[in-house]
Amino acid sequence: MNPSARTAPSTGLVLTLVLVALAVLVPPLVGWQVWTRVHPEDGTFPPLHGYPEAKVGVGTLPAMLLALASVRWAVPVAAALSWRRLLLVSYVVGLVWLLSLALVDGTAGISRVLGNPTEYLETARSVGDLRALLESYVSRIPFDAPAGNWPVHIAGHPPGMVLFFVVLVKLGLGGDLAAGLVVVLIAATIPLVVMTTVRVLGHEEGARSAAPFLVLTPSAVLLAVSADAVMAATVAWGMCCLALAATAAARSGARRSWPWAVLAGLLLGGAVMMSYGLPLTGVLALAVLWLGRGWWALPVAAASALVVVLAFAAGGFAWWEAYPVLTERYWDGIASERPGAYWIWGNLAALAISAGPLVGAGLGVVWASRRDQHHRVLVVLVAAAVVIVALADASQMSRSEVERIWLPFMPWLTLGCALLPESWRRPGLALQLATALLVQHLLYTSW
């Protein structure tokens, strides 16, 4: 191993910790009001959208016991289990991790966020006519909308997420707790499909190495309580289907790949209709196609995604008409008070807290391994995620709150942890687990 590769993890970790420390300490030390919250008199903790609040709860003991057991066994178990058993164990452990962290706040930890009037669920319960919803959607985005403006999360996103919760309501799962449990069940699939994507692209070793970090991620603190977990899962499932399409296309041409390509396009098109920022995942999609050497899948997947977007337009909601209106509302709100001079790097610190500081060590190793063909799959996927985050940050359309907004990008950044040296894996996992426990027990994260 060359010297730069040996120092890469520690360099990446130190830089990440320094970034987080500066983001936390600079605003109060210099009296800089960075407006993480609308009512800062309630308390703040930049760069997160929350404030200090120490607590313990029913989930504390199981979360700590799972963390201790994981430090001891997660890494060797991920390497030893058969692939199917690894997926099953990953889902169960991930589900327990998500629920344990959320239940530190009691059952309110699962239901509180979705039950907030600014979120999707309350609006979903009032929807009776889907056509009317779509046709009036854009006109109700502005603050001064004649018919009354949408709550902040409805106005800030396309209607796909509202429709997801409308479906839950129609299925009898529209209660705050019931909908929260559905979100948790979906969120727990994210590590599985990211691991499967890596394996399909030809790097099972990397998928196994990444498993503990994907399953026991600090972002579970946000995933268990946020509708953005559904967006992250939709993107992950779409990328997995695209990887299957690309590899099938590379082996036998378009004939075998088109069903997976259609499914990938429908999922990724659906993701675009959930968040205005998710078209950026096209960078990751191109990386998956390049790694799978199956460009036959591209036109089919792109056409399928376009069908979703055009179907919404036919129903009354045109994405390209809504985005400029949303941009105007965004700058009419608190975003204009949040200084770009802080958030251009404060966002990255919030990402580091949510995804865990070990992601910085992983990025250091990815950079040192950029010419290593054996780990090409991981390097390319992580690099694509870095480009997405850079574009999202540069857009200035996400000042603050990215610990939640950027959840769809975090699993792909976390893949870099799979490249950490053996001596780093257990202590690195311990650092990630400790980060999650500290954030959940010492902060009110608003999400």
Side-chain angles (χ1 to χ4, degrees), residues 10-11 15 46 78 117 129 147 166 176-177 201 287 293 353:
S10 54
T11 301
L15 290 175
D129 186 337
V166 168
D176 295 351
L177 182 60
L201 293 173
R293 299 179 180 178
I353 296 172

Side-chain angles (χ1 to χ4, degrees), residues 20-106:
V20 170
L22 290 173
V24 173
L25 296 174
V26 167
L29 286 177
V30 304
W32 199 358
Q33 176 54 268
V34 296
W35 291 102
T36 52
R37 297 173 57 80
V38 177
H39 303 292
E41 64 274 9
D42 295 338
T44 61
F45 187 79
L48 300 184
H49 190 276
Y51 53 85
E53 182 185 81
K55 73 267 191 183
V56 294
V58 66
T60 297
L61 182 59
M64 289 186 171
L65 290 175
L66 178 58
L68 290 172
S70 298
V71 171
R72 173 64 180 85
W73 287 299
V75 172
V77 165
L81 289 177
S82 68
W83 182 254
R84 288 185 178 180
R85 289 183 178 177
L86 175 60
L87 293 181
L88 177 61
V89 169
S90 295
Y91 185 77
V92 172
V93 172
L95 191 59
V96 173
W97 182 235
L98 287 160
L99 289 171
S100 297
L101 289 171
L103 290 172
V104 170
D105 292 314

Side-chain angles (χ1 to χ4, degrees), residues 299-322:
V300 178
S304 301
L306 186 60
V307 165
V308 175
V309 175
L310 293 179
F312 273 85
F317 174 84
W319 192 100
W320 52 89
E321 292 177 357

Side-chain angles (χ1 to χ4, degrees), residues 1 3 25 36-37 84 89 91 96 125 131 147 153 163 194 225 232 234 254 300 324 326 328 337 343 357 372:
M1 181 183 293
L25 296 174
T36 52
R37 297 173 57 80
R84 288 185 178 180
V89 169
Y91 185 77
V96 173
R125 293 181 186 131
R131 181 84 183 192
H153 285 278
L163 296 184
V194 174
V225 297
T234 304
V300 178
L326 175 274
E328 184 177 343
E337 303 291 334
W343 288 110
D372 185 346

